[in-house]
Amino acid sequence: MAPSESVVVEYAKSNRSSCKKCSEAIQSKTLRLGLVSRDKNRGFDVTKWHHLSCFPLPSFHSPPNTITGFSSLKVLSFSDIVSDDQEALTKLFAGQDNSEE
């Protein structure tokens, strides 16, 4: 990741954004990761959204809990259903660490 880029994670607010890797729509209320960079010519930030599985991992080397928006991700636990988006993100980046060894 270039020094001027940062990463943000959130739930898609609508289904209008598309993944910059696969070009498929990112459905409303699903988890998405964005690479935020500064457009120096126009003077504002640009976010390139990705599905969780499409995110370009080699460009990111910080712990997932440092990603903007990480603390607002859902951690749900019912008797037999566990939906933990923080854990899913952590596992995604843990897989990156294993593939680099």
Side-chain angles (χ1 to χ4, degrees):
M1 179 168 60
S4 63
E5 287 185 328
S6 62
V7 176
V8 63
V9 62
E10 69 177 27
Y11 297 101
K13 297 175 181 89
S14 69
N15 61 352
R16 295 180 304 184
S17 61
S18 61
C19 177
K20 295 307 176 216
K21 181 176 180 184
C22 72
S23 300
E24 297 283 325
I26 300 173
Q27 295 302 311
S28 178
K29 299 179 184 168
T30 60
L31 197 59
R32 66 182 181 176
L33 281 164
L35 283 175
V36 182
S37 58
R38 189 83 177 157
D39 184 326
K40 293 178 184 176
N41 294 331
R42 294 184 277 178
F44 57 86
D45 291 339
V46 176
T47 304
K48 295 179 181 177
W49 293 110
H50 298 82
H51 293 108
L52 192 61
S53 60
C54 294
F55 188 73
L57 285 173
S59 68
F60 187 70
H61 297 288
S62 297
N65 62 347
T66 63
I67 297 173
T68 302
F70 182 83
S71 62
S72 66
L73 298 180
K74 295 177 187 173
V75 179
L76 302 174
S77 180
F78 298 103
S79 59
D80 60 343
I81 301 172
V82 176
S83 174
D84 187 341
D85 291 334
Q86 288 182 353
E87 185 176 331
L89 193 59
T90 301
K91 284 181 181 179
L92 176 71
F93 287 95
Q96 171 194 7
D97 294 340
N98 294 339
S99 65
E100 291 179 356
E101 293 176 355

